[in-house]
Amino acid sequence: MILAIALFTGITLRTCKWEPLPIPGPGASQESQIKPMSPKVIFDSFNDSVVKIVTDTGSGSGFFVKNGRLIATCFHVISGAKQISVEGTHGKKWSVESVSFNKEQDAALLKLSEDTLRKPIPIGDVNKLQPGDELDVIGSPLGFLTGSLTTGILSAKRATDATEVLQITAAVSPGSSGSPVITNLGKV
């Protein structure tokens, strides 16, 4: 699967290979039964799953992907940092226990030292996205506008030598790198 993470490079996103969370339930595909969500419902459902990442070199955003301890972000958000902390909604702070990354894909996983009990944002399938699909980004632009929502559409999908690039119209400002790009079906 491919995970889209907001990367501040104008209006493009890089994607990287990621394992999706299983969708429980018997019978027909649950994805076909999910009704599109408004940006307000997306925000209300996932704002607590998005975090601000603060380092000694700057800040960015991230989001819970597997449990209340594992956060995805962009590698460049944490690159070169000697100190990394994570701030959730309502000012809650957590320390980072370990870091895994893929520098070429500009992706990183941060494991927190404690369970936050925050819910992960489900991972979708980028192959199902089409130009014109609605997308929402929740992040922390400029490092202090925590919990900011921008909306847009997928403008184009482009293949490069090493990765697929998604072009979106939702604003991704400095400080929002690492934010989840969420479809109107509630998946990253």
Side-chain angles (χ1 to χ4, degrees):
M1 292 299 140
I2 309 278
L3 171 70
I5 301 176
L7 169 66
F8 179 64
T9 58
I11 55 171
T12 60
L13 298 173
R14 294 182 191 236
T15 60
C16 63
K17 295 200 183 280
W18 216 273
E19 291 299 317
L21 292 174
I23 300 173
S29 165
Q30 287 188 357
E31 192 160 315
S32 64
Q33 299 171 9
I34 299 172
K35 294 182 181 178
M37 302 161 76
S38 70
K40 177 165 180 19
V41 171
I42 293 285
F43 182 82
D44 290 345
S45 299
F46 299 115
N47 187 46
D48 283 347
S49 301
V50 179
V51 297
K52 179 169 75 168
I53 298 168
V54 180
T55 73
D56 53 323
T57 60
S59 67
S61 299
F63 57 99
F64 289 96
V65 290
K66 186 173 181 185
N67 53 38
R69 292 184 69 188
L70 199 60
I71 295 170
T73 189
C74 292
F75 173 72
H76 75 266
V77 169
I78 56 141
S79 178
K82 293 183 175 109
Q83 296 176 352
I84 304 171
S85 66
V86 173
E87 296 180 15
T89 52
H90 313 296
K92 179 69 176 157
K93 295 182 183 182
W94 302 286
S95 59
V96 175
E97 179 179 289
S98 63
V99 176
S100 301
F101 61 88
N102 181 325
K103 185 176 180 180
E104 290 76 31
Q105 296 289 329
D106 193 31
L109 286 175
L110 310 178
K111 184 176 181 182
L112 301 182
S113 57
E114 64 182 281
D115 189 346
T116 66
L117 304 176
R118 303 290 172 108
K119 70 177 182 178
I121 302 176
I123 306 298
D125 183 353
V126 74
N127 295 315
K128 294 181 180 179
L129 289 176
Q130 298 296 318
D133 285 351
E134 296 175 1
L135 302 168
D136 299 302
V137 177
I138 303 172
S140 299
L142 306 177
F144 66 90
L145 298 174
T146 305
S148 292
L149 171 71
T150 61
T151 64
I153 62 166
L154 175 64
S155 299
K157 293 166 75 171
R158 311 233 189 262
T160 66
D161 293 337
T163 190
E164 183 172 28
V165 177
L166 305 179
Q167 181 181 357
I168 67 170
T169 61
V172 179
S173 303
S176 286
S177 288
S179 295
V181 178
I182 306 169
T183 70
N184 65 357
L185 297 179
K187 299 190 178 202
V188 175

